[in-house]
Amino acid sequence: MNNILKKAVAFLLSMAIVIIATGCSNTSDNSSVSNADKESDVSARVTVDGTKFIVAGKQLWINGVNTPWQNWNDFAGNMDYDFWDKTFEQLAADGVNCTRIWVNCEGENIVRLKSTGEIKSINEEHWNDLDKLFEIAQKHKVYVMATLTSFDHCEGDVGSPERWRTLIKSKDAVDDFAEQYVKEFCKRYGNYEYLFSIDIMNEPDWVYENAECGQIPWDNLSYFFGKCAATIHENSDTLVTVGMGIVKYNSDRYEGNKISDEYLIELTGNDNAYVDFYSTHYYMWMKSSFGYPFDGTPEMFGIDTDKPCLIGETSNDDGDQCGYSPSEKYQAAYNNDWQGVMVWMQTQEDQSWYRYDLTQEATKYFAEKYPNLVHPLES
């Protein structure tokens, strides 16, 4: 009996050890899952705090590029998924955390207008392509600045530029565009955390200045910006900007800030009509009139210093003219309180991005030197 009893006790003790060990193992597994869940619950949504971009309570600096299109009007049902997937994969590998993409290059085949400027129809394939684009952005964790319109919509006589000019000059048509297109865009993508911002129009300066674009007054253009901005703010928490071609239209030092809070709210009568940050463009031909942003702060250009300011479009190949390598440009912009740089590239005949080697050098340099600023969620 003693031997049997000893065996029984030994068996029970061994079972107890197994149960305890299993319990500890399960606790460890659950803890790992819990931590993973906790990490996945951290939002990648970009917000603004003063003059800084913020993600999960930490500063984000836009180590960015422009990959505006593969082919003109990519997102009208002819998007090349593999091309964009490989592009985002490459950008992520080279430290790029944001790219600017024209989701609608000139309106043709995407938003069709009546002669009154009001919307006739929206191509459903447009939404299908954008579904894929934002899926790719999420997959590779690269933010998108989505540009909704451009001066190209209004330029020339072929196609529908006259209808787009009519739209911008008509408050009813602008309201219709904001309700039908901008609001729908927000409903579909406003919750996508890797939608960094909506850029309402690319370089409206030329719509105001150039005869071939209609020379539309700023009151009309800025009403369009204000109405779209209010619609975005009322239907999502996505940041809003306008990609001005020349700094003088962002600054009271020159022609006046055409997207100031006061101006947009006055034109629309809506307190939600404002931009969240400034995204001025810069090319060397501007230097003689306005100076050089890489050796000066936004304040020196007379830009409102209550909001973040970034350089939303600039050359990646003007080192011989400006005396700065691309890496030095990104560093100088950071040193001078700009909150990001997005160099311009576009696809060549072989479907490579123009002088990507120069861009790659700069973005990798900055990401390696300031990993916490470029990828705050990983720090």
Side-chain angles (χ1 to χ4, degrees):
M1 288 293 294
N2 285 340
N3 288 337
I4 293 173
L5 200 57
K6 286 178 181 178
K7 289 179 180 179
V9 170
F11 174 77
L12 290 172
L13 285 172
S14 66
M15 289 300 294
I17 291 170
V18 169
I19 290 169
I20 291 169
T22 302
C24 290
S25 174
N26 287 340
T27 300
S28 176
D29 289 345
N30 288 337
S31 177
S32 297
V33 170
S34 176
N35 287 336
D37 288 344
K38 185 176 180 180
E39 289 177 7
S40 67
D41 286 343
V42 176
S43 175
R45 170 68 74 190
V46 182
T47 59
V48 164
D49 184 5
T51 62
K52 303 286 193 271
F53 296 117
I54 302 294
V55 173
K58 302 174 183 178
Q59 184 182 354
L60 171 74
W61 200 85
I62 300 300
N63 195 36
V65 298
N66 280 254
T67 53
W69 58 80
Q70 176 196 12
N71 299 300
W72 193 249
N73 278 338
D74 280 290
F75 308 105
N78 56 346
M79 174 190 173
D80 184 337
Y81 184 95
D82 290 340
F83 170 85
W84 284 104
D85 187 44
K86 289 175 183 175
T87 289
F88 273 75
E89 182 179 26
Q90 183 70 62
L91 295 177
D94 293 326
V96 174
N97 60 11
C98 185
T99 185
R100 179 171 175 256
I101 299 176
W102 297 22
V103 300
N104 186 341
C105 291
E106 64 178 358
E108 290 295 314
N109 301 320
I110 294 177
V111 178
R112 300 182 180 93
L113 301 179
K114 303 174 184 176
S115 60
T116 60
E118 294 174 314
I119 290 178
K120 181 178 181 180
S121 64
I122 299 173
N123 182 355
E124 196 64 29
E125 291 300 314
H126 175 60
W127 305 125
N128 294 336
D129 280 349
L130 293 186
D131 289 347
K132 298 171 190 173
L133 177 68
F134 288 113
E135 172 192 313
I136 291 169
Q138 181 80 24
K139 173 183 174 182
H140 295 290
K141 295 180 170 54
V142 174
Y143 290 106
V144 172
M145 178 191 285
T147 300
L148 299 190
T149 62
S150 175
F151 70 88
D152 302 87
H153 285 62
C154 298
E155 186 174 38
D157 299 314
V158 178
S160 57
E162 183 58 41
R163 295 188 180 201
W164 283 97
R165 294 195 288 264
T166 299
L167 184 158
I168 292 170
K169 289 186 284 188
S170 165
K171 287 186 177 181
D172 288 342
V174 168
D175 294 350
D176 180 64
F177 178 80
E179 179 67 21
Q180 289 203 56
Y181 181 78
V182 177
K183 185 176 181 179
E184 184 65 19
F185 186 95
C186 292
K187 285 171 58 180
R188 289 173 179 265
Y189 310 113
N191 291 326
Y192 278 64
E193 293 188 349
Y194 282 88
L195 173 60
F196 160 59
S197 63
I198 295 174
D199 176 12
I200 297 170
M201 181 178 280
N202 170 65
E203 300 188 351
D205 322 52
W206 316 130
V207 182
Y208 170 74
E209 291 192 357
N210 296 348
E212 62 269 24
C213 294
Q215 293 180 323
I216 297 174
W218 279 115
D219 279 2
N220 296 115
L221 284 162
S222 295
Y223 179 85
F224 176 72
F225 307 146
K227 183 65 181 183
C228 290
T231 300
I232 295 164
H233 288 133
E234 289 161 4
N235 290 278
S236 75
D237 58 0
T238 304
L239 303 181
V240 180
T241 192
V242 177
M244 288 294 190
I246 320 173
V247 71
K248 69 178 180 178
Y249 295 122
N250 268 145
S251 171
D252 288 330
R253 179 172 297 172
Y254 303 105
E255 301 290 332
N257 183 359
K258 304 307 181 184
I259 52 173
S260 71
D261 292 358
E262 294 78 13
Y263 188 37
L264 298 187
I265 291 170
E266 177 188 354
L267 289 171
T268 61
N270 190 324
D271 289 343
N272 292 312
Y274 60 89
V275 299
D276 296 282
F277 65 96
Y278 297 110
S279 177
T280 191
H281 299 177
Y282 185 86
Y283 290 94
M284 283 300 294
W285 63 265
M286 304 176 189
K287 186 175 182 179
S288 60
S289 299
F290 309 110
Y292 191 57
F294 299 100
D295 57 16
T297 66
E299 185 175 11
M300 290 173 62
F301 283 87
I303 302 176
D304 179 2
T305 56
D306 292 336
K307 299 180 181 184
C309 303
L310 62 78
I311 300 169
E313 189 182 308
T314 192
S315 297
N316 67 352
D317 66 348
D318 60 358
D320 290 342
Q321 294 173 276
C322 69
Y324 285 76
S325 72
S327 297
E328 289 169 337
K329 274 188 171 183
Y330 280 68
Q331 182 67 62
Y334 172 68
N335 292 346
N336 285 301
D337 294 328
W338 298 93
Q339 297 307 307
V341 175
M342 308 181 82
V343 294
W344 177 264
M345 303 184 297
Q346 66 186 71
T347 46
Q348 307 303 286
E349 289 184 5
D350 64 356
Q351 296 301 295
S352 65
W353 292 108
Y354 176 71
R355 291 311 309 265
Y356 187 73
D357 58 322
L358 296 175
T359 298
Q360 182 182 51
E361 170 199 328
T363 57
K364 288 185 76 171
Y365 158 81
F366 197 88
E368 289 169 3
K369 187 171 182 180
Y370 302 102
N372 294 349
L373 289 172
V374 176
H375 296 115
L377 288 179
E378 297 177 10
S379 62

